[in-house]
Amino acid sequence: SLDQMLQGRIAGIAVMNATSTPGVAPKIRIRGTSSITGNRDPLWVVDGIILDDPVSISAEELNNIDNVNFVGNAISGLNPSDIERIDVLKDVSATAIYGVKAANGVIVVTTRRGHKGAPAISYTGSMSLTSRPTYSNLNLMTSKERVEMSEEMVNRGLQFNSYRPSTMAYEGELHKLWSKQIDYDTFRENVKNLKELNTDWMKLLYRNALTQQHTVSVSGAGERMDYYLSLGYMNQQGANRYEGLDRLTAMLKVNVKLTQKLTGRFKISTTNTEANYPHSSISVLDYAYRTSRAIPAYNADGSRFYYDEDKTIFGSLPYNIFNELKNSSRDNKTRSTLINLSLDWKPLDWLKVSSLAGLNLGNTEEENWADERTFYISKKRLTAYGQKDYDPVEFYKHSGIPIGGELQHNTTRSHRYTWRNSVDVAYPMGNHLLSANVGSEITSLKYDGYKSIRYGYMPFRGKQFADIDIAAYPTYANTLRLYPDVITDNTTNTLSAYGTFTYSYGNKYSANFNIRTDGSNRFGQDKSVRFLPVWSVSGRWNVSEEKWFKSQKWIDELAFRASYGVQGNVHPDQTPNLIVRQENYNSTLGDFVSTLKQFPNRNLRWEKTISNNFGLDFAFFKNRVSGAVELYRKRGYDQIVSRNI
């Protein structure tokens, strides 16, 4: 994927892959951390349009390197074969023009377009193989070593203080011997077989995974029009046998010269991704790493081997990981469509007026389900699957899910509307060049979704739900009260104005000034803080363009650049409004109740980052973050402290 392609390629960018699971978004940091509690991911811009994550994820979840985002990030659906150019903006003078979302850096992606000539058909394909983990890379005991350790503990009379002896493997056979279920010769024969068992959990649960990607494109151009059409397919197997991802992409890009001075551009792209993972309660790698190799996966007759993993008031609960994997799953489906339409009018050689409208639609569905055969549900039901010898009165009283399984369903839809108008001026005067770009932008981003947890799920009976009498099962009824359905309805509107001004002389010296101001419904209620600018100034000296330097043969290019500026970042967890959560009916009070969730922040502006850059390719970078109270303290920037209001 694109974000993985950037790993190790560009100075100042750290790409951290927390897992090899297909479709999981890595963590990307440009020049370190720019926020303490806010979002730290860079801004993705594709063909002038900002892309958003498929689901609205809290900053805490995004920042935690131990958490993974199974639905991917903003550019997960972008086909790498459609990319023509990638620009990474790390400096404050480059990112200031993107406003309050650019504090973590900006990655600008430009997709391919048609070039003059006859229609050209192109095919691009790639295949890669990921080898499965093996015990040869891990310092773990074989089954013989594990059994001999248990033998030594028994022979030396050591106590099992840290854990309860299991009823399987060597301890299980020893228990059978002591309880006279087997004789000594049978015990020795069973122990011998255990030492030779050596179950290869890595081989049973993992595989050598194949990833294949194919793209077919058609491109061409005439005197007045160029076009590019591509279709792509990717299939990525997970090293885990129970993980996989399929992705279909399509893109059409057309540029038309409507008149001598007017050009129209149209682009539509769509992505459809389906991914499958184990249930959230199952950690396959953890199980393969920690489980003794003296435990079999299957019985001699080929049936699954179950062992007692837990006990309840009704007896033991058996466990087999392959039973869990077969009768549960986590399925994700993501669909997105991006539509761009723009017009460029160039009345003069040095003047261009542009207008761009963009629509980005996304839909994500997540299903995390487990049926009644699983150990996960057995713990909530308090009985093993198929068990009937229990006190029905106690079962009615304590069972959390009396019949069926569990289905967690989460649907999220996102809509982003963008309208941008700009004027570009590039006026040459001999060796002098004056250029400017001023414009305005209106954006609206809306997330709406529905999350529910349903019990009594029976996927193998037509995906039905069992009819459970909540009056007969008080514990089940309480579970329903603890996990009500959740509706998401968030809207962020932004109105912006920006300008960038550049003066250059003879391609040797240049000076630049950028400014942008953003107003948002996420800012404070105080009118004085609704529009505050981010800005930057910078200068560059191209030493390699000097006459006295051109005689040097040992270096091709040398330039010095310095910049200073202020960036901002809207904190996602703050709001200008008092938030009151409306709760359910309270039977004790005899009325509906509400709770205070969050106080308003009347002065909320943004987190501020002050950066100074100077150097060649290496930059001295200074980051400071402040909250609203510290934003414009007169004591100077050196006195700014980290605080979020």
Side-chain angles (χ1 to χ4, degrees), residues 79 81 123-127 212-216 231-234:
N79 189 343
S81 299
Y123 166 77
T124 303
S126 65
M127 301 182 73
Q212 53 181 320
Q213 188 159 274
H214 310 276
T215 302
V216 177
L231 298 173
Y233 170 73
M234 185 184 75

Side-chain angles (χ1 to χ4, degrees), residues 156-176:
R156 295 175 58 182
L158 301 178
Q159 298 294 319
F160 292 91
N161 291 328
S162 59
Y163 71 99
R164 176 177 57 86
S166 64
T167 57
M168 55 188 166
Y170 179 81
E171 289 83 354
E173 297 301 324
L174 190 62
H175 177 76
K176 293 177 184 178

Side-chain angles (χ1 to χ4, degrees), residues 345-353 423-426:
W345 179 48
K346 198 169 183 179
L348 302 171
D349 291 339
W350 51 271
L351 177 65
K352 183 175 74 170
V353 180
V423 177
D424 289 280
V425 176

